[in-house]
């Protein structure tokens, strides 16, 4: 009679089922929920109503104090006024990046010096504000753009999209290479460097071809540094945050970095939290460095470049620390002094999972085997249909495979620790081996199984 299993009716079984459902939903939906909340807070908040905050304006002549008082009454906290000697000094303050704008009061023809390279929306706010100031004194404002953007960058947001095009792929390349189980740490880092070179060169020439940026090849190494800041730091975070790594990396380099970059909306027009992040995040520092290189005669590009280099060094330090952590765990595992560390698992992304794969089958997009082997009989002939079971050192089954007609088997996505490999067949004696599975170093374990009758005959003798 077939065994009948009934569903739990109530009480403990129902509570357990509900708890399992809640845990499954939490494990699978945490990342989209995090991303949804992050976009609402980090994009809707700074972009829904951008207003100027402490925009520095150099004013020529002795009337700077009166103008500051008038603007403070009309728009509190919007503008910071400081006095300069004359019109040339006001203009130089903008071109030297000492001020965002320069204003020269005059009863008939007041002048406003602006830099469109700092952002079109900021230029529009300055024009509107100081047109009103000029009209109150009966004059007509003359505006001069002392740092115009490239002809193909009419809205002044070209740098933002150029940098964005190299930021997100740098992070995504880390996510994809986590699946490359046959690539060790060095090969993955080398791949990040190669991808960064391609991204920076292609992005520069595409933007140049569209006339979005001036012809300054020094931009290529600057963009390359930023790609490495994102890729190396993201990769270095993996061993420490495990399944929460996507949320941490996306939070850093997308949710926080983009609104604080000053590329889409000038940094002077976003809330204080994002203005405080602007000098720290790599995306904002690259945009500042490129603006200085392209439009301000390389003025003040040293500091942002140093910040980007600091991110690169931080990424390298995290990778080295992760390598030391892995070696320490391997030594402990080899000495059986600690429990094995679970592999990185994130249900929101397709990271490597233990699975049986077909031997000698390598198609684009498939995982490469981390464990292979062959099972033969006592004469060396291949055995088909032998069950291969891979378990962790605590006995938990990780994957189960069956040998093919050539007696071969393969498995992928195994954790970077010792595993037990068991070969078993109904008519043969089972065999067990302990194997060290390592990322980027495929292991091989062959078995030779003796028949059960031969063992029984030997025991009888």
């Amino acid at each position: 009679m077939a065994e009948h299993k009934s569903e739990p009716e109530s009480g403990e079984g129902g509570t357990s089922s509900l708890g399992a459902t809640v845990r499954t939903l939490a494990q699978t939906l945490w990342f989209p929920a995090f991303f949804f909340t992050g976009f609402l807070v980090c994009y809707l908040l700074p972009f829904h109503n951008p207003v100027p905050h402490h925009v520095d304006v150099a004013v020529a002549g002795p009337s700077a104090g009166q103008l500051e008082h008038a603007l403070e009454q009309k728009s509190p906290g919007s503008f910071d006024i400081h006095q300069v000697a004359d019109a040339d000094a006001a203009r130089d303050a903008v071109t030297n990046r000492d001020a965002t704008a320069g204003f020269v009061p005059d009863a008939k023809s007041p002048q406003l010096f602006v830099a469109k390279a700092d952002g079109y929306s900021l230029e529009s706010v300055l024009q509107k504000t100081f047109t009103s100031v000029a009209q109150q004194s009966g004059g007509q404002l003359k505006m001069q753009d002392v740092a115009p953007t490239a002809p193909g960058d009419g809205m002044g947001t070209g740098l933002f999209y150029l940098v964005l095009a190299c930021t997100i792929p740098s992070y995504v390349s880390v996510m994809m290479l986590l699946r490359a189980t046959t690539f060790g740490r060095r090969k993955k880092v080398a791949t990040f460097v190669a991808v960064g070179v391609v991204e920076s060169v292609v992005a520069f020439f595409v933007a140049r071809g569209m006339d979005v940026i001036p012809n300054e090849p020094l931009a290529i190494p600057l963009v390359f540094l930023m790609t490495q800041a994102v890729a190396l730091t993201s990769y270095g975070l993996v061993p420490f945050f495990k399944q929460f790594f996507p949320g941490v990396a996306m939070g850093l380099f997308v949710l926080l970095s983009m609104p604080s970059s000053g590329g889409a909306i000038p940094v002077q027009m976003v809330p204080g939290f994002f203005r405080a992040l602007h000098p720290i995040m790599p995306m904002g520092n690259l945009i500042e460095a490129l603006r200085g290189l392209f439009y301000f005669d390389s003025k003040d590009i040293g500091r942002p470049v140093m910040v980007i280099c600091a991110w690169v060094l931080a990424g390298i330090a995290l990778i080295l620390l992760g390598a030391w952590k892995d070696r320490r765990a391997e030594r402990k595992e080899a000495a059986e002094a600690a429990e094995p560390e679970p592999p990185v698992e994130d249900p929101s992304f397709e990271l490597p999972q233990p699975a049986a794969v077909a031997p000698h089958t390598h198609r684009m997009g498939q995982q490469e085997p981390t464990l292979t082997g062959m099972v033969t009989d006592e004469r060396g002939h291949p055995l088909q249909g032998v069950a291969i079971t891979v378990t962790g050192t605590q006995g938990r089954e990780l994957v189960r495979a069956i040998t093919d007609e050539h007696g071969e088997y393969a498995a992928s996505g195994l954790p970077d620790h010792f595993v037990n490999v068991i070969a078993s067949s109904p008519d043969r004696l089972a065999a067990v081996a302990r194997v060290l599975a390592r990322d980027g170093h495929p292991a091989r374990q062959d078995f030779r199984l003796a028949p059960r009758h031969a063992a029984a005959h030997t025991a009888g003798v």
Side-chain angles (χ1 to χ4, degrees):
M1 181 181 292
E3 183 180 357
H4 177 69
K5 295 183 179 179
S6 60
E7 294 292 328
E9 295 179 1
S10 62
E12 240 178 277
T15 304
S16 175
S17 177
L18 177 61
T21 300
V22 171
R23 283 194 301 272
T24 300
L25 290 175
Q27 291 171 356
T28 55
L29 297 181
W30 74 268
F31 186 69
F34 168 80
F35 213 38
F36 170 74
T37 305
F39 265 105
L40 285 180
V41 174
C42 297
Y43 283 72
L44 188 60
L45 175 63
F47 293 163
H48 80 288
N49 183 32
V51 293
H53 300 278
H54 300 285
V55 178
D56 197 0
V57 180
V59 176
S63 60
Q66 297 176 357
L67 179 59
E68 181 177 18
H69 180 71
L71 290 176
E72 185 64 22
Q73 286 186 328
K74 184 177 181 181
S75 304
S78 296
F79 300 95
D80 291 338
I81 305 298
H82 70 270
Q83 182 179 336
V84 293
D86 51 26
D88 290 338
R91 187 183 191 281
D92 291 342
V94 180
T95 57
N96 292 333
R97 308 189 81 178
D98 295 325
T100 304
F103 182 64
V104 183
D106 185 270
K108 295 183 179 180
S109 57
Q111 285 184 288
L112 178 66
F113 300 105
V114 296
K116 188 178 180 181
D118 285 331
Y120 175 76
S121 54
L122 183 58
E123 180 188 40
S124 299
V125 168
L126 289 166
Q127 181 180 12
K128 180 179 179 181
T129 300
F130 285 91
T131 295
S132 176
V133 171
Q135 289 174 347
Q136 289 178 3
S137 61
Q140 185 174 359
L141 183 69
K142 294 182 179 179
M143 193 168 69
Q144 182 179 353
D145 187 357
V146 298
T149 56
D153 187 17
M155 296 299 294
T157 56
L159 286 183
F160 172 73
Y161 294 108
L162 170 66
V163 175
L164 181 64
C166 296
T167 299
I168 294 181
S170 298
Y171 160 77
V172 173
S173 65
V174 176
M175 294 300 308
M176 295 297 100
L177 274 177
L178 288 178
R179 297 176 55 108
T181 55
T182 58
F183 270 32
R185 188 175 284 105
R186 291 182 181 179
K187 283 187 178 180
K188 288 177 180 177
V189 171
T191 303
F192 299 146
V193 173
V195 170
V197 170
V198 173
E199 286 178 353
S200 54
V201 172
V202 172
F204 174 80
F205 283 105
V206 169
R208 227 3 241 124
M210 298 171 64
D211 212 8
V212 172
I213 60 175
N215 186 22
E216 290 286 351
L218 183 58
I220 296 176
L222 295 181
V223 175
F224 169 76
L225 279 175
M226 196 276 305
T227 64
Q228 300 311 290
V230 174
L232 297 181
T233 303
S234 297
Y235 184 53
L237 291 172
V238 173
F240 302 97
F241 291 95
K242 301 185 185 301
Q243 68 267 29
F244 300 108
F245 153 71
V248 174
M250 290 288 275
L252 277 175
F253 301 120
V254 177
L255 297 181
L256 295 179
S257 193
M258 289 168 59
S260 65
S261 67
I265 299 295
V267 69
Q268 298 94 331
M269 300 182 68
V270 297
F273 172 73
F274 296 99
R275 294 200 306 275
L277 288 178
H278 179 72
I280 302 171
M281 305 304 291
M283 191 173 181
N285 278 280
L286 177 60
I287 289 176
E288 288 299 329
L290 292 179
R291 277 177 177 158
L293 175 67
F294 291 151
Y295 305 118
F296 296 96
D297 295 326
S298 300
K299 181 71 175 178
D300 293 338
I301 70 171
R303 184 195 172 281
V305 172
M306 293 299 292
V307 173
I308 298 172
C309 289
W311 277 91
V312 175
L313 293 176
I316 294 173
L318 285 171
I319 293 171
L320 294 176
L321 187 59
W324 173 82
K325 181 174 178 286
D326 288 345
R327 286 195 297 269
R328 185 167 176 263
E330 288 175 6
R331 287 195 297 268
K332 285 186 177 181
E333 181 65 26
E336 296 184 349
E339 294 184 359
E341 190 176 353
V344 176
E345 295 179 359
D346 180 9
S348 300
F349 288 86
E350 296 181 4
L351 299 181
Q353 300 289 331
V357 295
H360 306 301
T361 301
H362 307 296
R363 299 187 180 92
M364 183 66 69
Q366 291 187 344
Q367 296 182 22
E368 295 293 331
T370 51
L371 173 65
T372 59
M374 175 183 288
V375 182
T376 58
D377 60 17
E378 67 279 8
R379 297 180 180 178
H381 299 149
L383 292 175
Q384 183 178 6
V386 177
I388 304 295
T389 305
V390 182
T391 68
T393 54
Q394 303 301 312
R396 182 171 68 91
E397 182 176 316
L398 300 176
V399 66
R400 188 177 177 86
I402 303 295
T403 57
D404 61 11
E405 65 272 15
H406 304 293
E408 296 182 314
Y409 69 93
S412 67
L414 298 179
D416 287 354
H417 293 289
F418 283 97
V419 295
N420 296 322
V421 186
I422 307 166
S424 59
S425 179
D427 58 343
R428 295 188 177 269
L429 295 176
V432 181
R434 198 174 192 211
V435 178
L436 176 60
R438 295 179 60 193
D439 186 18
H441 302 276
R444 182 175 182 86
Q445 180 59 52
D446 297 331
F447 294 96
R448 178 165 291 188
L449 303 186
R452 289 184 182 275
H453 67 81
H457 176 72
T458 302
V461 173

